[in-house]
């Protein structure tokens, strides 16, 4: 017997075709060729995907459970995504909604370096949500961004993350930006998570520079950087917190609770940014609830991750967000704080105070 | 004036909201904050995205043209995708369908190393399509895969690509597989494009090993590897042909002709694998036609790329595919050839002969 994981898909089909469709997915995500062309017994018994169950969800939708051999993945993070949803992602009417992994496979992935407890120790935020702002707009030089960061720090915010659009542009090179922002933050206690860009070597260089300047966490966009790049950096910088950004990740073909809450966490996300309901993006409250729950839930040896609901959040929503998410959350307000211009420090202070005094019911 | 590219989106909206929606995309893909919070004149004039045009496509769909500053991208391939479609990819009812790039930005990208002419020179295939098979199933040891490759080479196929699921698994390590397959191919003239996996360092090591064994091209999955990883390898291995695989790329949020035909080509795809119409995937004939046309069209200094329509193709479709795509095509038949088992060499020979004798009308 070879060891298997279970990949769970939701498939749109009719009753007469769902069995063939399920077998098709099992083949597509394993040997990707007609099974009748295979005579090797190890491949037939140990590698070909197996349909483990089909459940009718009603309205022409089915839950399909496929058992895939973990030997096809080894311990490689990119190959994990390839085997779970590679070619099937290009087919219509199918979404990857969950996975069940044997402990041996889960053990091959480190999960978050710091996790919730580590991020709380880092920021000194206990018994309340962690407050966060975003550094932007893109186009400002390092001094301009550092001035904004300094004013947010004066308001007492826990951490400032780069906008994911801040890369290594000529008008704001990564190293100069980190130097300027870290100088501006000084001993305020506010942490800065700069955004990594470029290839693995670029990101290593950026991380080394940042860590040397006292940076304790970074923002990374795994779908642009590449899953293996993200996985490599998590292992090479075990003292650094990694906050993931969902840019370019599309919507709705991998269920967000699985994508961000489980798979990004497996690879090493200490905190996962995602679009909160009621902002500029289309996630439902249920999706957001499930995502946050997945990020925090006990799961093998993995530390829990902090959800970072974002995307058009405002000061007016802080109370509602805290009621919805509870204290194990990073509350991120980006543009709405920056739009207050001259009142930035005071608005940040009010935001910080609102989070501090919130009573969880 | 700062230099700008034009990103073209198709947006589902009603007439009363499309202007606000277009402005929202322009902001999301540039500064990602309320414009009223910005006072820096360089950012306001030079960085904030601008709506250049809105055209009614009928039935509640609009074409929106957004001018984005090329300074936000520099020459970094990952940042190109981030600025074209990053956060907007997570919103509903919007697809990126095309880009218009100023020559200075295009010049920053190398395009294919070999291009169509280089791949024809490599394979010796002139005046006809290039024939290709896929090496699988996953789970076979190197010797088993090499035996299959040897039989395909005896049939006279131009090139054999790894299945994208073949990585560096314990049962078939990359280096052992390359050694075994290259030994089996010997002086047949058939080329082998093995599949890269892991992080940038892993892929460099795999490429060095493969090149030392005489390999002249490889398969890479840019969405799993990471766009910057792909871009880096194209530059570091300028004599190697890169065939891209679409695994994990999803469907329909970036128009396939743009995604594979233009963007992958800009970064360096000599040949682009994509799902042909009428196979296991949902692309229409029009999408496939447009994708192939984009891959081959004259475009600045970029060499043209070869389309590789695939995904369930069979020997019976060779004539129809050649009529549809013309000779500047790699015809890839994967599982259907392998399913012929003991007749593999003969079936490959018949496939090769059918391609060679095809008369283009």
């Amino acid at each position: 017997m070879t060891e298997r994981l279970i990949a769970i898909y939701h498939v749109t089909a009719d009753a007469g075709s769902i069995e063939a469709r399920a077998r098709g997915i099992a083949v597509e995500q394993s040997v990707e060729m007609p099974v009748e062309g295979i005579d090797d017994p190890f491949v037939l018994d140990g590698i070909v995907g197996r349909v483990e169950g089909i459940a009718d969800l009603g309205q022409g939708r089915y839950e399909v459970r496929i058992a895939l051999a973990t030997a096809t993945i080894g311990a490689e993070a990119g190959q994990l995504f390839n085997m779970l949803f590679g070619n099937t992602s290009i087919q219509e009417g199918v979404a990857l909604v969950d996975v069940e992994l044997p402990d041996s496979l889960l053990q091959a992935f480190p999960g978050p370096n710091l996790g919730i407890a580590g991020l709380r120790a880092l920021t000194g935020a206990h018994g309340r949500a962690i407050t966060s702002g975003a550094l932007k707009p893109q186009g400002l030089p390092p001094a301009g961004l550092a001035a904004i960061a300094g004013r947010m720090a004066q308001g007492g915010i826990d951490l400032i993350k780069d906008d994911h659009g801040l890369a290594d542009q000529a008008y704001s090179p990564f190293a100069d930006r980190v130097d300027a922002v870290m100088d501006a933050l000084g001993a305020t206690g506010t942490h800065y998570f700069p955004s990594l860009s470029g290839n693995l070597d670029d990101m290593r260089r950026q991380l080394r520079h940042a860590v040397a300047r006292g940076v304790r966490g970074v923002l990374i966009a795994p779908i642009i950087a590449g899953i293996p790049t993200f996985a490599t950096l998590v292992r090479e910088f075990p003292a650094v917190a990694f906050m993931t950004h969902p840019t370019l990740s599309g919507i709705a073909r991998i269920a967000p609770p699985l994508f961000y809450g489980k798979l990004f966490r497996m690879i090493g996300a200490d905190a996962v940014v995602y679009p909160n309901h009621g902002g500029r993006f289309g996630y439902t409250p249920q999706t957001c609830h499930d995502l946050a729950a997945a990020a925090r839930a006990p799961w093998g040896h993995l530390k829990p991750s902090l959800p970072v609901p974002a995307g058009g959040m405002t000061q007016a929503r802080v109370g509602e967000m805290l009621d919805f998410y509870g204290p194990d959350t990073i509350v991120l307000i980006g543009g709405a704080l920056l739009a207050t211009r001259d009142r930035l420090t005071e608005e940040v202070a009010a935001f910080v105070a609102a989070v501090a005094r919130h009573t969880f019911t």
Side-chain angles (χ1 to χ4, degrees), chain A:
Chain A
M1 279 298 295
T2 54
E3 197 169 47
R4 304 221 172 213
L5 63 85
I6 305 291
I8 303 170
Y9 305 89
H10 284 181
V11 181
T12 303
D14 54 48
S17 66
I18 183 61
E19 287 193 24
R21 185 74 196 280
R23 284 195 303 271
I25 294 171
V27 169
E28 192 75 54
Q29 290 309 118
S30 59
V31 292
E32 207 208 320
M33 66 171 282
V35 175
E36 59 270 25
I38 302 172
D39 50 18
D40 185 284
F42 169 70
V43 177
L44 287 171
D45 296 345
I47 299 293
V48 175
R50 284 202 298 251
V51 179
E52 293 288 310
I54 299 174
D56 189 343
L57 301 175
Q59 300 181 306
R61 295 172 69 244
Y62 293 85
E63 178 178 285
V64 172
R65 298 170 61 87
I66 307 284
L68 299 170
T70 59
T72 63
I73 293 169
E76 209 277 290
Q79 186 67 359
L80 173 70
F81 282 76
N82 196 23
M83 298 317 297
L84 287 176
F85 202 47
N87 271 7
T88 298
S89 80
I90 316 173
Q91 294 181 321
E92 309 241 27
V94 55
L96 175 70
V97 296
D98 209 351
V99 293
E100 296 170 3
L101 306 179
D103 193 56
S104 61
L105 182 63
L106 197 59
Q107 287 290 342
F109 291 88
N113 283 334
L114 275 66
I116 294 180
L119 285 171
R120 290 200 173 283
L122 179 67
T123 56
H126 297 285
R128 61 166 174 85
I130 293 172
T131 56
S132 176
L135 198 55
K136 41 191 172 184
Q138 134 138 263
L140 285 187
L145 292 167
I148 292 173
R151 292 165 63 203
M152 287 201 275
Q154 286 165 36
I157 207 157
D158 293 316
L159 73 89
I160 298 168
K161 61 167 270 295
D162 271 349
D163 183 46
H164 70 284
L166 302 190
D168 198 17
Q169 291 101 343
Y171 50 69
S172 182
F174 180 89
D176 295 349
R177 186 167 78 243
V178 168
D179 291 351
V181 170
M182 292 306 283
D183 285 346
L185 296 185
T188 57
T190 295
H191 285 275
Y192 174 44
F193 284 18
S195 177
L196 304 178
S197 66
N199 69 21
L200 178 59
D201 292 334
D202 298 327
M203 290 187 175
R204 284 170 170 147
R205 192 166 47 243
Q206 291 162 11
L207 262 161
R208 283 194 297 266
H209 181 90
V211 167
R213 285 305 316 257
V215 164
R216 304 288 297 276
V218 292
L219 184 75
I220 187 168
I223 300 303
I224 288 179
I227 300 291
T229 302
F230 172 36
T232 300
L233 293 172
V234 167
R235 291 168 194 263
E236 289 183 355
F237 293 86
V240 171
F242 286 82
M243 178 183 281
T244 58
H245 194 284
T247 182
L248 197 64
S249 63
I251 194 170
R253 306 296 308 278
I254 300 182
L258 172 64
F259 204 3
Y260 308 125
K262 285 187 166 180
L263 297 177
F264 278 16
R265 173 181 170 196
M266 267 179 77
I267 296 172
D270 294 282
V272 286
V273 177
Y274 62 92
N276 195 26
H277 60 93
R280 301 194 306 274
F281 302 86
Y283 284 13
T284 64
Q286 186 67 49
T287 294
C288 294
H289 172 274
D290 293 349
L291 193 168
R296 298 168 181 147
W299 195 25
H301 70 293
L302 304 181
K303 295 184 176 116
S305 303
L306 275 177
V308 192
M313 296 303 100
T314 60
Q315 295 89 312
R317 289 194 60 180
V318 167
E320 166 250 310
M321 288 174 71
L322 290 170
D323 284 337
F324 187 87
Y325 285 109
D328 280 340
T329 303
I330 296 180
V331 182
L332 170 62
I333 302 182
L337 282 174
L338 300 173
T340 65
R341 302 176 67 131
D342 294 343
R343 291 188 29 78
L344 177 58
T345 300
E346 294 80 358
E347 289 285 340
V348 168
F351 163 42
V352 168
V355 171
R357 73 170 172 261
H358 186 84
T359 305
F360 294 96
T361 50

